[in-house]
Amino acid sequence: MDSVYMGDIMAVIGRDVWCINIVGTAQANRTGANIGFTKSMRKGTYKSICWQHSWRLLCFAVWSDNALVKTLSNFHGLEILDAGMGVLRKKRDADGKRERTKTEVPCPAQTCDYCKTFHDKGNGAEANYDLGGKSRLHNWLPKLIF
């Protein structure tokens, strides 16, 4: 889900009405978690903080990648994955320059799942989906003549 649509209400509807798991970027003011950002959350440090929603089983997480990545999930817990769980980033050295090789970094479990399933024009994954309303299978089905 995109932060424009993702909030507590959408997560609850997804879980209780549609019976689907949803994770997506969210704005901090659109969640019921008691969120208190601290000045220690600096970009590029790969630190994580998770909050439990005040009245539902929703998890809001903030991860300090190149920007503060804020995600809301209706099926994840307060789990932060250790480095070595598959999230690779180019860290910055003391001078602020990016390293040449990627290093495994820690992040919240829901952020890891969101990154693995996020599709947009930037990563080319939209080519796998027909956005015109018909499935790709539609063109392969034989035409039935009655």
Side-chain angles (χ1 to χ4, degrees):
M1 297 288 303
D2 187 298
S3 64
V4 173
Y5 302 105
M6 189 61 172
D8 289 351
I9 295 171
M10 182 59 73
V12 170
I13 290 171
R15 186 66 163 172
D16 296 344
V17 178
W18 299 331
C19 298
I20 59 172
N21 297 331
I22 298 177
V23 62
T25 56
Q27 299 171 16
N29 62 356
R30 297 184 72 182
T31 182
N34 186 13
I35 299 164
F37 288 103
T38 63
K39 300 293 181 186
S40 65
M41 289 291 289
R42 296 199 178 140
K43 298 175 186 176
T45 60
Y46 305 107
K47 291 184 180 178
S48 302
I49 301 176
C50 296
W51 290 271
Q52 183 69 46
H53 191 276
S54 59
W55 56 278
R56 283 288 192 166
L57 292 175
L58 304 176
C59 180
F60 183 79
V62 179
W63 180 52
S64 60
D65 192 16
N66 295 331
L68 295 181
V69 180
K70 297 168 271 195
T71 55
L72 179 66
S73 173
N74 68 358
F75 69 101
H76 287 93
L78 303 173
E79 180 184 8
I80 297 175
L81 302 175
D82 294 329
M85 299 297 288
V87 180
L88 300 172
R89 293 290 186 265
K90 291 183 179 180
K91 291 187 174 181
R92 295 186 184 272
D93 60 14
D95 297 333
K97 295 181 181 178
R98 290 198 183 273
E99 297 175 351
R100 290 184 169 262
T101 59
K102 292 183 177 182
T103 307
E104 293 184 343
V105 296
C107 80
Q110 67 194 50
T111 305
C112 181
D113 288 346
Y114 175 76
C115 291
K116 288 178 183 175
T117 58
F118 180 74
H119 301 299
D120 70 349
K121 292 182 180 180
N123 63 12
E126 81 284 355
N128 294 329
Y129 301 98
D130 180 6
L131 302 177
K134 296 179 182 177
S135 69
R136 288 179 176 256
L137 185 60
H138 182 287
N139 296 331
W140 291 90
L141 292 175
K143 306 259 188 236
L144 297 175
I145 300 174
F146 293 97

